[in-house]
């Protein structure tokens, strides 16, 4: 076999012109090393984590957990986990400091952060997904290893057992394309595998020393690819986004090494020098990126300092603050806090000081707010003491029959009660019930003593027993609600029953609740006639308490939706929750309408 006049270059020789690439350049498509562009984006993502709130960090972790390849995002997930732990620790420490500042022993502090359980759940799920991911990776690596071995066998067979009439150009193209698209293998296997592939590829090219026409086609094809890469690199010089240009340039270097080798000798250095010169010009634009980042950081610093000043001003407060002032300020500070955390980085040299100033003034605001509500609590305690004194006076005199003296006294007690301010919310219903019970005991006794001749308790029991029997017979047929309303109205108009028969009232109320539930109607929707002023007042008070409880329940359910990254009605997991909220809002509106009807006298 005659040797060609000019020795054809092997893949190793063809790649020498690329040895001047930067060390950060991608080595091969099949390696496990990530492209520099991915590393840059990853570093940008890690820097942005510091500006996220706890809810946003948990949402980002939840997003990663929901990805099919969650294990591939281990570094970012780990950074998010550390940030979440850091934020939970800081917030818990703040609560602990407030607890101690309020005069409590530090050893009694035991606060479970509300987000800790959610964080633990996310970490548990991620560990399972990460194990599954790595197991799948190992399986894929094994399959890819077998596939790449088969490619090498095909390449070896191509130059050792080539059949006559084989289109070598097409065959080697298919093998190279197959090798390029083959998946990743374990790092421990890759180096030997890659060297083996290029060894046989080199052997193939040497076999082609008699097929100069093919080599010229290969050189021409690769030269065309180089020219396309150079043209795209020229366009990147005008790309407005410096980061985008750098990322795509990295990808072009990858294509150059993997798909644009080899070319004819006379074009090797020429094309590489041209591409390298353009690459250097694009890299020189990094200073533009630095200037842009510095400008954005300076703007962020100005806005963050403005936020700190606004919080500082609100912490100073007005000369005379009240509940409304602090409630509005709390909302404003929360909005400012959210904006502060969402803003990007500030210059590194002032970053710590800026963050510490923010935390100090935020903590100072909370201290001032807590001082106000602590004082308000003391005022409510004083009011509670006054009302307890009124209750005691009422109880001491509720059985007295000195009508001329005690009747005016009870009227005076009721007037004084109205003048006393708010008491702690936990005691509101209890003190009112105690005071009302004492007043009712006195006035009932007063009415009983003055109307004994008109009372027929035994007859009242007989009438109530008859109404109770009628109520028990009612089902859920048409007209049942009207029958219930008639029975309830008659019941309200009947006086007292003998003390030993008083249990009939309890039995009636239980039966009434069962019938209302059967007919799917609430008690507050009943139209009742013959109610006394006290009965109307009592009914209105009960509805007000139910309205307050229902509103608090709705607010709690809506707040719970905020723990989900996707809290829209389109989320199938929240469909039932939204339906419950809608049902409760509908019930709330119905209760408010019933209360309005009672207050204007239209429910009787």
């Amino acid at each position: 076999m005659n040797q060609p006049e000019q020795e054809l270059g092997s893949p190793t020789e063809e790649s020498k012109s690329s040895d001047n690439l930067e060390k950060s350049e991608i080595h091969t498509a099949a390696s496990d090393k990530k492209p520099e562009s991915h590393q840059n984006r990853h570093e940008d993502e890690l820097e942005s984590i510091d500006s996220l709130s706890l809810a946003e960090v948990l949402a980002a972790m939840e997003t990663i957990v929901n990805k099919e390849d969650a294990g591939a995002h281990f570094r970012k997930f780990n950074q998010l986990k550390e940030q979440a732990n850091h934020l939970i620790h800081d917030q818990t420490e703040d609560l602990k400091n407030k607890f101690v500042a309020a005069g409590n022993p530090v050893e009694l502090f035991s606060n479970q952060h509300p987000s800790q359980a959610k964080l633990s759940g996310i970490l548990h799920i991620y560990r399972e997904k990460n194990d599954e991911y790595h197991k799948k990776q190992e399986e894929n690596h094994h399959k890819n290893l077998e596939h790449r071995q088969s490619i090498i066998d095909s390449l070896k067979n191509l130059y050792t057992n080539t059949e006559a009439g084989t289109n070598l150009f097409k065959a080697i193209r298919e093998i190279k394309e197959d090798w390029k698209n083959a998946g990743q293998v374990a790092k421990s296997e890759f180096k030997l595998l890659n060297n083996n592939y290029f060894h046989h590829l080199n052997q193939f090219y040497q076999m082609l020393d008699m097929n100069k026409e093919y080599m010229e086609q290969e050189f021409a094809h690769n030269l065309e690819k180089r020219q396309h890469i150079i043209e795209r690199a020229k366009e990147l010089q005008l790309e407005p986004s410096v980061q985008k240009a750098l990322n795509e340039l990295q990808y072009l270097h990858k294509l150059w090494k993997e798909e644009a080798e080899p070319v004819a000798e006379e074009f090797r250095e020429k094309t590489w020098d041209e591409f390298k010169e353009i690459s250097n010009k694009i890299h020189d634009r990094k200073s533009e990126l630095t200037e842009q980042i510095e400008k954005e950081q300076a703007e962020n610093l100005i806005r963050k300092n403005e936020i700190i000043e606004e919080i500082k001003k609100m912490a100073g407060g007005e000369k005379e603050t009240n509940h409304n002032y602090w409630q509005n300020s709390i909302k404003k500070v929360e909005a400012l806090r959210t904006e502060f955390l969402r803003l990007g980085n500030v210059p590194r040299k002032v970053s710590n000081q800026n963050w510490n100033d923010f935390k100090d003034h935020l903590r100072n605001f909370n201290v001032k707010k807590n001082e106000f509500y602590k004082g308000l609590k003391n005022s409510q305690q004083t009011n509670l003491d006054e009302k307890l004194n009124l209750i005691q006076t009422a109880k001491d005199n509720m059985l007295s029959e000195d009508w001329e003296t005690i009747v005016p006294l009870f009227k005076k007690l009721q007037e004084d009660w109205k003048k006393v301010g708010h008491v702690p919310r936990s005691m509101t219903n209890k003190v009112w019930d105690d005071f009302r019970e004492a007043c009712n005991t006195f006035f009932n006794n007063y009415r009983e003593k003055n109307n004994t001749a008109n009372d027929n308790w035994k007859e009242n029991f007989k009438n109530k027993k008859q109404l109770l029997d009628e109520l028990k017979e009612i089902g859920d047929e048409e007209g049942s609600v009207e029958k219930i309303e008639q029975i309830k109205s008659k019941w309200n108009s009947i006086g007292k029953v003998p003390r030993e028969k008083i249990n009939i009232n309890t039995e009636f109320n239980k039966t009434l609740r069962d019938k209302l539930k059967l007919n799917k109607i609430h008690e507050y929707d009943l139209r009742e006639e013959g109610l006394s002023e006290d009965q109307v007042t009592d009914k209105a008070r009960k509805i007000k308490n139910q309205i307050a409880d229902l509103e608090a329940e709705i607010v709690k359910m809506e707040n719970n939706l905020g723990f989900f990254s996707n809290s829209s009605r389109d989320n199938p997991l929240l469909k039932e929750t939204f339906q419950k909220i809608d049902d409760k809002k509908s019930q709330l509106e119905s209760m408010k309408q019933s209360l309005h009807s009672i207050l204007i006298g239209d429910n009787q």
Side-chain angles (χ1 to χ4, degrees):
M1 181 182 300
N2 295 329
Q3 297 292 328
E5 295 180 0
Q6 181 177 351
E7 183 179 352
L8 298 177
S10 68
T12 302
E13 294 170 336
E14 290 294 331
S15 62
K16 288 180 181 178
S17 61
S18 303
D19 288 340
N20 294 324
L21 287 173
E22 295 179 359
K23 293 181 179 180
S24 60
E25 179 185 336
I26 300 304
H27 180 70
T28 175
S31 76
D32 280 344
K33 296 180 180 179
K34 294 182 179 179
E36 183 180 333
S37 58
H38 291 179
Q39 294 175 356
N40 291 337
R41 287 197 296 272
H42 182 68
E43 292 172 359
D44 291 341
E45 290 173 354
L46 295 184
E47 291 178 359
S48 67
I49 288 175
D50 292 338
S51 64
L52 298 180
S53 66
L54 177 56
E56 291 170 333
V57 171
L58 292 176
M61 294 175 72
E62 197 172 3
T63 299
I64 292 177
V65 167
N66 289 331
K67 290 179 180 294
E68 287 293 330
D69 59 337
H73 305 273
F74 174 79
R75 290 184 62 190
K76 181 177 180 181
F77 185 89
N78 198 42
Q79 288 287 334
L80 289 167
K81 180 190 74 174
E82 293 178 3
Q83 181 68 359
N85 285 327
H86 174 71
L87 292 174
I88 289 176
H89 176 268
D90 280 358
Q91 293 177 13
T92 303
E93 283 298 307
D94 288 344
L95 291 175
K96 180 179 178 182
N97 292 335
K98 294 175 185 176
F99 183 82
V100 174
N104 300 304
V106 65
E107 59 271 12
L108 295 182
F109 178 80
S110 59
N111 182 275
Q112 178 66 33
H113 197 281
S115 296
Q116 186 63 54
K118 183 173 183 179
L119 175 61
S120 299
I122 293 174
L123 293 177
H124 176 73
I125 296 173
Y126 183 78
R127 279 193 291 271
E128 294 180 349
K129 285 209 168 187
N130 191 41
D131 292 342
E132 181 181 353
Y133 171 79
H134 285 291
K135 182 178 179 181
K136 188 174 181 181
Q137 283 287 92
E138 291 177 1
E139 294 175 354
N140 289 337
H141 285 169
H142 182 70
K143 292 179 181 178
N144 294 337
L145 177 61
E146 293 179 347
H147 179 54
R148 286 185 179 272
Q149 288 286 11
S150 68
I151 295 174
I152 292 175
D153 291 339
S154 298
L155 175 59
K156 182 178 179 181
N157 187 63
L158 189 62
Y159 71 83
T160 57
N161 298 302
T162 304
E163 297 180 0
T166 299
N167 187 334
L168 295 177
F169 181 84
K170 180 180 179 181
I172 194 61
R173 277 272 167 245
E174 291 174 350
I175 289 175
K176 292 174 70 175
E177 186 71 13
D178 197 6
W179 180 265
K180 182 184 72 172
N181 296 326
Q184 297 180 353
V185 298
K187 290 183 179 180
S188 59
E189 303 282 356
F190 176 75
K191 185 175 181 180
L192 180 61
L193 190 70
N194 197 52
N195 289 341
N196 196 15
Y197 169 78
F198 278 103
H199 165 74
H200 289 293
L201 186 62
N202 185 52
Q203 294 296 106
F204 171 79
Y205 283 128
Q206 290 180 5
M207 184 272 291
L208 294 177
D209 60 348
M210 295 185 64
N211 194 344
K212 194 171 183 179
E213 180 180 354
Y214 164 78
M215 187 59 74
E216 290 176 353
Q217 290 179 344
E218 179 78 354
F219 283 169
H221 175 77
N222 292 341
L223 178 60
E224 184 179 356
K225 278 196 172 183
R226 285 195 175 194
Q227 290 170 342
H228 282 304
I229 292 174
I230 290 172
E231 289 303 316
R232 179 52 188 158
K234 289 179 180 179
E235 294 175 1
L236 290 181
Q237 294 182 91
L238 304 177
E239 168 61 45
S241 173
V242 179
Q243 189 62 59
K244 180 180 179 181
L246 292 171
N247 291 343
E248 189 167 343
L249 177 65
Q250 185 66 32
Y251 175 69
L252 293 180
H253 276 273
K254 175 178 178 291
L255 290 180
W256 185 280
K257 193 165 189 177
E258 293 179 0
E259 300 185 18
E261 294 281 3
V263 295
E265 181 70 30
E266 65 268 26
F267 296 111
R268 292 178 191 173
E269 293 298 329
K270 178 181 177 182
T271 52
W272 167 246
D273 290 341
E274 183 179 5
F275 181 47
K276 183 173 66 174
E277 182 181 358
I278 297 173
S279 298
N280 291 337
K281 291 180 180 179
I282 295 175
H283 279 291
D284 290 342
R285 294 186 62 197
K286 285 184 178 179
S287 60
E288 297 180 22
L289 181 61
T290 302
E291 292 177 1
Q292 182 180 354
I293 293 175
E294 290 176 350
K295 180 180 178 182
E296 292 176 355
Q297 290 182 347
E299 292 174 352
N300 292 339
L301 178 62
I302 293 174
R303 179 53 189 154
K304 284 190 173 183
N305 285 335
E306 291 174 351
I307 290 175
I308 292 172
E309 285 301 316
E310 291 183 49
I311 295 176
K312 179 180 178 181
K313 182 178 179 181
M314 280 187 282
E318 301 173 352
K319 292 184 178 180
E320 294 184 4
T321 57
N322 53 31
H323 172 71
N324 289 335
Y325 170 82
W326 285 107
Q327 287 300 304
N328 291 331
S329 297
I330 289 172
K331 294 178 181 178
K332 292 179 182 177
V333 167
E334 182 58 29
L336 291 172
R337 177 182 175 278
T338 300
E339 182 183 357
F340 187 95
L341 296 176
R342 285 180 177 174
L343 286 171
N345 295 331
V346 300
R348 187 179 298 275
K349 62 181 179 181
V350 296
S351 178
N352 290 337
Q353 183 62 45
N354 181 255
W355 174 247
N356 290 333
D357 288 346
F358 172 71
K359 290 181 63 177
D360 289 344
H361 288 295
L362 188 61
R363 186 179 297 110
N364 184 48
F365 172 85
N366 289 325
V367 169
K368 294 292 181 66
K369 175 199 67 178
N370 293 337
E371 288 177 353
F372 169 79
Y373 281 104
K374 185 176 181 181
L376 183 61
K377 183 178 180 181
N378 293 335
S379 174
Q380 290 180 343
Q381 184 61 43
T382 301
N383 295 337
L384 177 60
D385 293 339
E386 291 185 25
K387 287 196 172 183
L388 290 175
N389 290 334
L390 293 176
I391 292 172
Q392 189 59 48
T393 302
K395 287 183 176 180
D396 291 343
N397 294 276
M398 65 183 181
L399 300 179
S400 174
E401 295 184 6
D402 183 7
W403 312 127
E404 292 184 1
T405 302
I406 305 305
V407 169
L409 172 63
F410 268 87
K411 291 182 178 179
K412 177 69 166 53
L413 290 175
Q414 291 175 334
E415 292 176 358
D416 291 344
W417 183 276
K418 295 178 181 178
K419 295 177 183 178
V420 180
H422 295 288
V423 300
R425 184 178 181 86
S426 60
M427 295 293 294
T428 300
N429 289 337
K430 185 179 185 309
V431 294
W432 166 246
D433 289 341
D434 290 346
F435 181 69
R436 184 188 62 171
E437 181 181 358
C439 292
N440 287 345
T441 299
F442 171 76
F443 284 108
N444 288 339
N445 187 42
Y446 174 75
R447 282 190 292 270
E448 289 173 9
K449 296 297 183 180
N450 287 276
N451 298 289
T452 303
N454 298 325
D455 286 339
N456 189 342
W457 289 5
K458 292 183 179 180
E459 186 66 19
N460 289 344
F461 175 75
K462 179 181 178 181
N463 293 335
K464 283 194 172 184
K465 184 66 171 63
Q466 181 179 351
L467 290 175
L468 176 59
D469 292 338
E470 293 177 8
L471 180 62
K472 290 180 178 179
E473 296 298 321
I474 293 177
D476 59 349
E477 64 274 8
E478 183 175 357
S480 295
V481 175
E482 288 76 10
K483 291 179 181 179
I484 294 174
E485 290 177 337
Q486 293 172 6
I487 292 174
K488 187 67 167 62
S489 296
K490 290 179 181 179
W491 183 276
N492 293 335
S493 65
I494 298 176
K496 294 186 176 182
V497 300
R499 185 175 298 276
E500 65 273 12
K501 303 290 187 179
I502 196 70
N503 287 339
I504 194 173
N505 293 327
T506 302
E507 185 178 0
F508 178 83
N509 289 331
K510 181 179 182 302
T511 304
L512 178 63
R513 287 194 296 270
D514 293 341
K515 297 303 179 180
L516 292 175
K517 184 177 181 181
L518 179 63
N519 285 275
K520 298 180 181 179
I521 184 174
H522 296 282
E523 185 175 357
Y524 56 79
D525 287 327
L526 289 178
R527 297 182 62 85
E528 300 177 56
E529 297 178 357
L531 291 176
S532 65
E533 182 179 351
D534 288 344
Q535 289 173 326
V536 172
T537 301
D538 187 61
K539 184 175 182 180
R541 186 187 66 82
K542 288 182 179 179
I543 295 177
K544 286 181 180 179
N545 289 339
Q546 292 174 348
I547 288 175
D549 292 341
L550 192 56
E551 287 177 335
E553 188 175 356
I554 292 172
V555 170
K556 181 179 179 180
M557 293 180 71
E558 290 179 336
N559 287 339
N560 288 341
L561 293 175
F563 289 105
F564 292 85
S565 58
N566 178 13
S567 58
S568 68
R569 289 181 177 268
D570 296 332
N571 190 335
L573 297 177
L574 302 179
K575 183 178 180 180
E576 184 178 352
T577 301
F578 275 109
Q579 184 59 49
K580 288 182 179 179
I581 292 175
D582 292 340
D583 292 342
K584 290 183 181 297
K585 286 184 176 180
S586 176
Q587 182 183 352
L588 178 63
E589 185 61 26
S590 178
M591 291 174 67
K592 288 182 178 180
Q593 292 177 0
S594 297
L595 178 61
H596 178 70
S597 299
I598 291 174
L599 295 178
I600 65 175
D602 192 33
N603 192 255
Q604 300 184 45

